[in-house]
Amino acid sequence: MEFLRPASWEEALAAKAEHPTAVPIAGGTDVMVEINFDHRRPEYLLDLNRVAELREWETGEQTVRLGASVPYTKIIENLRAELPGLALAGHTVGSPQIRNRGSVGGNLGAASPAGDSHPALLSAGSEVEAVSVRGTRMIPVEEFYTGVKRNALADDELIRAVHIRKADGPQQFSKIGTRNAMVIAVCAFGIALHPSSRTVRAGVGSAGPTPFRPTAAEEFLNAALEEGGFWDNGRTITPSVAKQFAELCSGAASPIDDVRGSAKYRRHAVGVMARRTLGWAWESYRGRPGGASGHVNGGSTEGGAQCA
């Protein structure tokens, strides 16, 4: 195994172009596990730790540009107002040591269906900035996952950053595991209210071959909220609407049986998490100044996070 250690982003792109099979490594929280268990033996490792710009972020008017190597700890400490769903998800990632090293870019590159950041990225609305010596392209996160541990990157591309829409309403995240720390999700669910567009987006993890948005459930809920005037009147979402949303989310799942849980359990859990996170997020929206006026600034990191 040959170790490549570029000193700059340009050198990293050149190395990836010359060695398309090179496996990028920064935090190493996924790659080193696979290597240590002999599940992967790449010919080249491409160490990105000297590329400082990958550990930087920029907060714009509508989005946060998050460098691929920004660790979860930095997101939790510095971006919980702009990216509350992702901050909640970050709290459930491994141990403090893992959160100090692991990153959203690494989670995307691994493309595991159980990656903790995926539901939050899907529900917030995100694009992956993929770069090669040929140029840059922006990939909507919904299109980034192409299969179990497969993504849409070309052989010569690297993830430079993720562009995530800033919260304009409450966001929530829920994860089910066998314990409350250092656990791979049995399944996970993220939800984000977008009062400025009067829409709700959701993301589901570990309940199919790829992370996904339950679009039929979103469409039903958005129509129900609009028809019932919920955005304006601030009423509690009716049990029938919440139940139908949960059932549609559960129906969108296509899980498998494995050592962490059965497909039947995962489908049931997705529905439970969908109903609960919707309730938490909506109550947060109703309880805030201007919450029923159709526009709310900022997000919420109250409630949710993880259940066992």
Side-chain angles (χ1 to χ4, degrees):
M1 191 184 310
E2 188 172 340
F3 194 66
L4 309 175
R5 197 160 186 247
S8 68
W9 179 242
E10 291 72 22
E11 288 184 12
L13 292 179
K16 185 61 170 164
E18 184 177 354
H19 306 287
T21 61
V23 175
I25 183 171
T29 57
D30 284 311
V31 173
M32 290 309 302
V33 171
E34 293 184 335
I35 291 175
N36 288 339
F37 281 94
D38 208 26
H39 294 161
R40 176 186 282 196
R41 190 61 56 179
E43 186 178 359
Y44 300 95
L45 274 181
L46 180 60
D47 178 17
L48 300 175
N49 279 290
R50 291 204 293 172
V51 184
E53 69 176 83
L54 297 181
R55 297 189 298 275
E56 300 172 352
W57 67 87
E58 300 173 11
T59 301
E61 186 175 338
Q62 295 183 324
T63 63
V64 173
R65 183 182 182 275
L66 189 71
S69 297
V70 175
Y72 290 105
T73 299
K74 295 295 183 183
I75 297 170
I76 295 167
E77 293 175 350
N78 300 283
L79 294 168
R80 57 190 301 125
E82 294 85 356
L83 308 175
L86 188 58
L88 280 171
H91 274 289
T92 75
V93 174
S95 62
Q97 296 92 331
I98 296 298
R99 292 193 289 273
N100 285 336
R101 294 292 296 172
S103 67
V104 173
N107 225 196
L108 285 165
S112 167
D116 291 323
S117 71
H118 305 316
L121 295 176
L122 287 162
S123 60
S126 312
E127 290 185 309
V128 181
E129 183 180 337
V131 186
S132 70
V133 294
R134 298 176 288 109
T136 300
R137 62 185 180 124
M138 304 296 292
I139 307 172
V141 71
E142 296 93 335
E143 301 173 12
F144 187 78
Y145 315 108
T146 60
V148 179
K149 296 190 175 183
R150 298 201 307 272
N151 60 52
L153 291 175
D155 289 342
D156 62 345
E157 286 183 320
L158 295 170
I159 298 172
R160 188 175 190 176
V162 188
H163 297 249
I164 310 167
R165 182 176 171 181
K166 289 169 61 176
D168 65 326
Q171 301 181 357
Q172 285 291 341
F173 174 83
S174 182
K175 168 182 172 180
I176 290 180
T178 54
R179 55 188 181 187
N180 287 329
M182 299 184 70
V183 64
I184 299 174
V186 174
C187 51
F189 194 92
I191 195 167
L193 306 188
H194 299 279
S196 59
S197 59
R198 298 194 173 206
T199 57
V200 178
R201 289 172 60 114
V204 185
S206 202
T210 65
F212 66 92
R213 283 175 58 196
T215 53
E218 292 175 347
E219 291 169 0
F220 161 78
L221 180 60
N222 291 331
L225 293 178
E226 191 64 32
E227 291 170 6
F230 288 95
W231 292 109
D232 293 320
N233 59 36
R235 290 190 296 119
T236 299
I237 294 176
T238 59
S240 61
V241 169
K243 179 182 178 182
Q244 182 67 13
F245 173 69
E247 289 176 351
L248 288 169
C249 288
S250 179
S254 54
I256 60 171
D257 297 319
D258 64 16
V259 295
R260 298 199 304 279
S262 68
K264 182 179 179 181
Y265 175 74
R266 283 189 165 100
R267 286 194 190 92
H268 170 73
V270 167
V272 172
M273 289 189 294
R275 179 172 48 81
R276 288 179 178 175
T277 55
L278 174 61
W280 296 332
W282 191 256
E283 285 306 303
S284 180
Y285 170 72
R286 293 179 64 235
R288 301 178 56 173
S293 66
H295 181 76
V296 179
N297 290 317
S300 171
T301 53
E302 300 175 358
Q306 184 173 8
C307 49

